[in-house]
């Protein structure tokens, strides 16, 4: 119970940090904070061993059934329920000059501690490298899985991609952090040649058992509201997780092992930028002025293991 409560506190802290990054893009008067909704509570029951066995032999990957399809029919980039959140004033998409923000996120301080997790040998070759430590660091202190956002600009910037795509290979998701724009669907594809997975988006309504068959069609999820979710595997592989942030703006990116990010179509002018590493609930914010064309900005986080442990072990407020 204590471990679950600690996990929920960390999730709430991540969402609180994200809410502090700034208001929804295009609202320069305060407005609704980005992803300021409470953490989504999981309504997904754990899959039974029998269901897992049956699903692993399913002939079709990612078939959710008619009930699931009907439930998510109104969740898309152009649906009324999404536009009420993303563009309540029904403004035309911003058409003025824009800039692209590129940069690198690094981390200094103590190295990431071992998570103490155990991983199957052989088929799960990428799991240890992805989940074996508290966070992932590449060459020259490059920080992976950091969420970078740009907010507080003037104008409505719509999302251009209908789906955010995640892959599974070697018992590991392609990223430990996923950033989506509300209205996008999440597509999870299995690249392994033999191993099936049962991905589930905890926090979203549970409609049916979904199986990502080896090199088969992607499993699709439609987050019902902005906020925090967790992508897990129900086979189960308890280490196989990714934190999913569904945001109220389209100007965001997540770093890979090279620490690089790129965010396009930002209206020119003063903006608030931030880099957040959910694994340690730490962020760095910077105000800059976006100019037309290319813009460069780097972020550096500092990890203090002793302080992190103190924060993790702190008792929740009454």
């Amino acid at each position: 119970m204590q471990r679950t409560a600690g996990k929920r506190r960390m999730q709430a802290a991540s969402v609180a940090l994200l809410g502090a990054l700034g208001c929804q893009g295009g609202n320069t008067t305060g407005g609704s904070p980005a992803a300021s909704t409470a953490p989504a509570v999981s309504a997904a029951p754990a899959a039974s061993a029998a269901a897992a066995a049956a699903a692993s032999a399913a002939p079709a990957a990612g078939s959710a059934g008619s009930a699931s399809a009907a439930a998510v029919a109104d969740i898309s980039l152009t649906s009324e329920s999404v536009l009420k959140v993303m563009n309540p004033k029904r403004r035309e998409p911003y058409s003025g000059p824009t800039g692209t923000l590129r940069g690198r996120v690094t981390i200094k301080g103590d190295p990431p501690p071992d998570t103490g997790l155990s991983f199957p040998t052989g088929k799960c070759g990428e799991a240890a490298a992805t989940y074996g430590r508290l966070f992932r660091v590449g060459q020259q202190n490059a920080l992976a899985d950091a969420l970078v956002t740009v907010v507080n600009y003037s104008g409505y910037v719509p999302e251009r991609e209908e789906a955010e795509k995640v892959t599974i290979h070697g018992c590991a998701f392609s990223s430990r952090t996923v950033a989506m724009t509300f209205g996008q669907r999440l597509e999870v594809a299995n690249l392994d040649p033999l191993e099936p997975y049962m991905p589930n988006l905890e926090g979203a309504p549970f409609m049916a058992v979904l199986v990502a068959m080896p090199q088969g069609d992607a499993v699709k999820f439609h987050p019902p509201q902005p906020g925090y979710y967790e992508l897990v595997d129900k086979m189960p592989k308890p280490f196989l997780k990714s934190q999913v942030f569904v945001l109220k703006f389209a100007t965001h990116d997540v770093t890979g092992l090279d620490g690089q990010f790129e965010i396009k179509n930002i209206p020119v002018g003063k903006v608030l930028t931030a880099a957040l590493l959910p694994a340690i609930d730490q962020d760095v914010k910077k105000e800059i002025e976006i100019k037309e064309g290319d813009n460069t900005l780097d972020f550096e986080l500092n990890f203090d293991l002793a302080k992190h442990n103190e924060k993790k072990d702190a008792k929740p407020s009454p």
Side-chain angles (χ1 to χ4, degrees):
M1 292 295 293
Q2 291 180 348
R3 184 174 182 181
T4 300
K7 177 181 176 182
R8 286 296 177 192
R9 290 199 302 274
M10 290 184 68
Q11 293 172 352
S14 291
V15 174
L17 278 171
L18 197 57
L21 299 184
C23 64
Q24 176 181 343
N27 184 347
T28 59
T29 60
S32 301
S36 59
T37 56
V41 178
S42 176
S48 67
S56 66
S63 55
S66 59
S68 176
V72 301
D74 64 340
I75 303 295
S76 70
L77 292 175
T78 58
S79 64
E80 182 65 21
S81 60
V82 171
L83 290 175
K84 284 182 179 179
V85 174
M86 299 297 295
N87 188 19
K89 296 182 179 180
R90 298 301 193 271
R91 289 174 295 181
E92 291 296 321
Y94 177 82
S95 59
T98 63
T100 296
L101 183 63
R102 297 183 179 89
R104 188 168 178 262
V105 183
T106 58
I107 192 165
K108 65 179 181 179
D110 297 323
D114 193 294
T115 58
L117 298 171
S118 58
F119 310 98
T121 58
K123 62 183 181 181
C124 291
E126 296 182 28
T130 304
Y131 306 106
R133 296 196 174 272
L134 182 61
F135 53 89
R136 296 194 295 167
V137 181
Q139 295 182 353
Q140 298 179 330
N141 299 321
L143 183 60
D145 311 306
L147 169 60
V148 182
T149 59
V150 178
V151 294
N152 286 14
Y153 44 79
S154 179
Y156 166 58
V157 179
E159 175 61 60
R160 298 188 176 187
E161 300 294 333
E162 293 185 355
E164 180 66 26
K165 299 181 180 181
V166 175
T167 59
I168 314 175
H169 186 262
C171 304
F173 289 122
S174 50
S175 178
R176 287 175 52 172
T177 302
V178 176
M180 303 175 56
T181 304
F182 181 46
Q184 283 187 303
R185 65 179 178 272
L186 178 63
E187 297 187 355
V188 183
N190 178 9
L191 303 184
D192 282 354
L194 298 174
E195 185 73 6
Y197 298 91
M198 190 184 295
N200 186 63
L201 187 64
E202 295 198 336
F206 182 84
M207 294 296 180
V209 174
L210 305 176
V211 179
M213 298 299 288
Q215 300 181 355
D217 294 338
V219 169
K220 300 175 183 178
F221 300 97
H222 295 76
Q225 63 184 21
Y228 173 87
Y229 300 81
E230 192 170 53
L231 184 63
V232 301
D233 178 57
K234 290 290 187 180
M235 283 308 247
K237 297 178 181 64
F239 53 83
L240 186 54
K241 297 179 180 180
S242 183
Q243 294 176 290
V244 179
F245 294 89
V246 181
L247 306 176
K248 294 181 181 180
F249 51 92
T251 46
H252 51 73
D253 196 13
V254 173
T255 61
L257 276 172
D258 59 2
Q260 302 284 340
F261 67 89
E262 179 181 84
I263 302 174
K264 299 180 178 180
N265 305 312
I266 307 169
V268 298
K270 291 184 179 180
V271 299
L272 177 64
T273 67
L276 165 70
L277 183 61
I280 60 175
D281 296 326
Q282 185 180 135
D283 72 328
V284 175
K285 305 181 187 72
K286 293 184 180 182
E287 287 188 341
I288 65 168
E289 182 160 355
I290 295 294
K291 298 180 180 180
E292 189 170 5
D294 292 334
N295 300 259
T296 302
L297 181 67
D298 294 334
F299 296 91
E300 184 178 70
L301 279 70
N302 183 40
F303 179 64
D304 185 313
L305 180 58
K307 289 183 178 180
H308 173 77
N309 288 336
E310 288 177 5
K311 180 180 178 182
K312 181 178 66 174
D313 296 336
K315 294 182 180 180
S317 300

